[in-house]
mmCIF file of all heavy atoms in Angstrom:
data_model
loop_
_atom_site.group_PDB
_atom_site.id
_atom_site.type_symbol
_atom_site.label_atom_id
_atom_site.label_comp_id
_atom_site.label_asym_id
_atom_site.label_seq_id
_atom_site.Cartn_x
_atom_site.Cartn_y
_atom_site.Cartn_z
ATOM 1 N N ILE A 80 9.251 7.272 -11.730
ATOM 2 C CA ILE A 80 9.681 6.270 -10.760
ATOM 3 C C ILE A 80 10.875 5.529 -11.320
ATOM 4 O O ILE A 80 10.816 4.984 -12.428
ATOM 5 C CB ILE A 80 8.528 5.311 -10.392
ATOM 6 C CG1 ILE A 80 7.452 6.116 -9.664
ATOM 7 C CG2 ILE A 80 9.048 4.144 -9.536
ATOM 8 C CD1 ILE A 80 6.514 5.345 -8.781
ATOM 9 N N LYS A 81 11.981 5.567 -10.568
ATOM 10 C CA LYS A 81 13.224 4.956 -11.040
ATOM 11 C C LYS A 81 13.381 3.545 -10.502
ATOM 12 O O LYS A 81 14.100 2.741 -11.069
ATOM 13 C CB LYS A 81 14.424 5.808 -10.571
ATOM 14 C CG LYS A 81 14.556 7.098 -11.340
ATOM 15 C CD LYS A 81 14.891 6.805 -12.786
ATOM 16 C CE LYS A 81 14.858 8.060 -13.626
ATOM 17 N NZ LYS A 81 15.129 7.757 -15.033
ATOM 18 N N ASN A 82 12.767 3.279 -9.363
ATOM 19 C CA ASN A 82 12.939 1.981 -8.721
ATOM 20 C C ASN A 82 11.772 1.730 -7.783
ATOM 21 O O ASN A 82 11.349 2.629 -7.074
ATOM 22 C CB ASN A 82 14.253 1.991 -7.928
ATOM 23 C CG ASN A 82 14.886 0.629 -7.879
ATOM 24 O OD1 ASN A 82 14.356 -0.344 -8.421
ATOM 25 N ND2 ASN A 82 16.012 0.535 -7.197
ATOM 26 N N LYS A 83 11.268 0.496 -7.815
ATOM 27 C CA LYS A 83 10.168 0.123 -6.916
ATOM 28 C C LYS A 83 10.584 -1.095 -6.137
ATOM 29 O O LYS A 83 11.212 -1.998 -6.693
ATOM 30 C CB LYS A 83 8.938 -0.290 -7.726
ATOM 31 C CG LYS A 83 8.215 0.809 -8.428
ATOM 32 C CD LYS A 83 6.967 0.215 -9.067
ATOM 33 C CE LYS A 83 6.541 1.025 -10.245
ATOM 34 N NZ LYS A 83 5.300 0.623 -10.826
ATOM 35 N N ASP A 84 10.230 -1.139 -4.870
ATOM 36 C CA ASP A 84 10.504 -2.309 -4.046
ATOM 37 C C ASP A 84 9.582 -3.451 -4.481
ATOM 38 O O ASP A 84 8.440 -3.210 -4.879
ATOM 39 C CB ASP A 84 10.246 -1.958 -2.578
ATOM 40 C CG ASP A 84 11.005 -2.885 -1.644
ATOM 41 O OD1 ASP A 84 11.205 -4.063 -2.004
ATOM 42 O OD2 ASP A 84 11.411 -2.428 -0.572
ATOM 43 N N LEU A 85 10.082 -4.684 -4.435
ATOM 44 C CA LEU A 85 9.235 -5.836 -4.766
ATOM 45 C C LEU A 85 8.233 -6.094 -3.647
ATOM 46 O O LEU A 85 7.160 -6.646 -3.879
ATOM 47 C CB LEU A 85 10.102 -7.082 -4.999
ATOM 48 C CG LEU A 85 10.951 -7.040 -6.269
ATOM 49 C CD1 LEU A 85 11.893 -8.232 -6.326
ATOM 50 C CD2 LEU A 85 10.050 -7.001 -7.505
ATOM 51 N N LYS A 86 8.619 -5.676 -2.441
ATOM 52 C CA LYS A 86 7.730 -5.852 -1.289
ATOM 53 C C LYS A 86 6.556 -4.880 -1.388
ATOM 54 O O LYS A 86 6.731 -3.734 -1.771
ATOM 55 C CB LYS A 86 8.510 -5.599 0.002
ATOM 56 C CG LYS A 86 8.023 -6.406 1.185
ATOM 57 C CD LYS A 86 8.899 -6.172 2.409
ATOM 58 C CE LYS A 86 8.229 -5.164 3.295
ATOM 59 N NZ LYS A 86 9.140 -4.226 3.900
ATOM 60 N N LYS A 87 5.360 -5.377 -1.060
ATOM 61 C CA LYS A 87 4.168 -4.526 -1.126
ATOM 62 C C LYS A 87 3.761 -4.062 0.278
ATOM 63 O O LYS A 87 4.066 -4.722 1.262
ATOM 64 C CB LYS A 87 2.999 -5.307 -1.746
ATOM 65 C CG LYS A 87 3.254 -5.788 -3.166
ATOM 66 C CD LYS A 87 3.026 -4.683 -4.168
ATOM 67 C CE LYS A 87 2.875 -5.187 -5.584
ATOM 68 N NZ LYS A 87 4.134 -5.631 -6.192
ATOM 69 N N ALA A 88 3.086 -2.930 0.316
ATOM 70 C CA ALA A 88 2.507 -2.444 1.570
ATOM 71 C C ALA A 88 1.036 -2.131 1.290
ATOM 72 O O ALA A 88 0.681 -1.710 0.194
ATOM 73 C CB ALA A 88 3.231 -1.194 2.039
ATOM 74 N N THR A 89 0.208 -2.360 2.291
ATOM 75 C CA THR A 89 -1.229 -2.108 2.145
ATOM 76 C C THR A 89 -1.618 -0.875 2.931
ATOM 77 O O THR A 89 -1.255 -0.745 4.099
ATOM 78 C CB THR A 89 -2.037 -3.308 2.677
ATOM 79 O OG1 THR A 89 -1.535 -4.491 2.079
ATOM 80 C CG2 THR A 89 -3.521 -3.159 2.359
ATOM 81 N N TYR A 90 -2.327 0.034 2.264
ATOM 82 C CA TYR A 90 -2.828 1.239 2.937
ATOM 83 C C TYR A 90 -4.300 1.391 2.621
ATOM 84 O O TYR A 90 -4.740 1.055 1.523
ATOM 85 C CB TYR A 90 -2.104 2.499 2.435
ATOM 86 C CG TYR A 90 -0.916 2.895 3.265
ATOM 87 C CD1 TYR A 90 0.358 2.429 2.956
ATOM 88 C CD2 TYR A 90 -1.061 3.749 4.365
ATOM 89 C CE1 TYR A 90 1.460 2.797 3.718
ATOM 90 C CE2 TYR A 90 0.033 4.119 5.125
ATOM 91 C CZ TYR A 90 1.286 3.638 4.796
ATOM 92 O OH TYR A 90 2.377 4.000 5.547
ATOM 93 N N GLU A 91 -5.036 1.903 3.577
ATOM 94 C CA GLU A 91 -6.416 2.275 3.309
ATOM 95 C C GLU A 91 -6.369 3.599 2.550
ATOM 96 O O GLU A 91 -5.975 4.634 3.112
ATOM 97 C CB GLU A 91 -7.154 2.427 4.635
ATOM 98 C CG GLU A 91 -8.499 3.096 4.481
ATOM 99 C CD GLU A 91 -9.640 2.269 5.039
ATOM 100 O OE1 GLU A 91 -9.972 1.228 4.428
ATOM 101 O OE2 GLU A 91 -10.168 2.652 6.077
ATOM 102 N N GLU A 92 -6.734 3.564 1.267
ATOM 103 C CA GLU A 92 -6.633 4.770 0.445
ATOM 104 C C GLU A 92 -7.980 5.445 0.256
ATOM 105 O O GLU A 92 -9.031 4.795 0.239
ATOM 106 C CB GLU A 92 -6.039 4.430 -0.936
ATOM 107 C CG GLU A 92 -4.613 3.964 -0.841
ATOM 108 C CD GLU A 92 -3.865 3.988 -2.164
ATOM 109 O OE1 GLU A 92 -4.289 4.691 -3.108
ATOM 110 O OE2 GLU A 92 -2.832 3.293 -2.242
ATOM 111 N N GLY A 93 -7.906 6.747 0.122
ATOM 112 C CA GLY A 93 -9.068 7.533 -0.249
ATOM 113 C C GLY A 93 -8.605 8.463 -1.350
ATOM 114 O O GLY A 93 -7.422 8.505 -1.676
ATOM 115 N N CYS A 94 -9.522 9.188 -1.961
ATOM 116 C CA CYS A 94 -9.143 10.113 -3.035
ATOM 117 C C CYS A 94 -10.136 11.257 -3.048
ATOM 118 O O CYS A 94 -11.342 11.032 -2.977
ATOM 119 C CB CYS A 94 -9.149 9.379 -4.379
ATOM 120 S SG CYS A 94 -8.694 10.442 -5.762
ATOM 121 N N LEU A 95 -9.635 12.467 -3.173
ATOM 122 C CA LEU A 95 -10.512 13.639 -3.203
ATOM 123 C C LEU A 95 -11.432 13.605 -4.430
ATOM 124 O O LEU A 95 -12.479 14.235 -4.426
ATOM 125 C CB LEU A 95 -9.674 14.926 -3.191
ATOM 126 C CG LEU A 95 -8.842 15.137 -1.902
ATOM 127 C CD1 LEU A 95 -7.901 16.319 -2.069
ATOM 128 C CD2 LEU A 95 -9.739 15.332 -0.692
#
Side-chain angles (χ1 to χ4, degrees):
I80 294 202
K81 286 294 173 182
N82 211 359
K83 288 185 206 186
D84 203 328
L85 291 173
K86 211 176 99 219
K87 299 279 197 286
T89 309
Y90 266 92
E91 168 124 289
E92 294 196 19
C94 180
L95 296 172

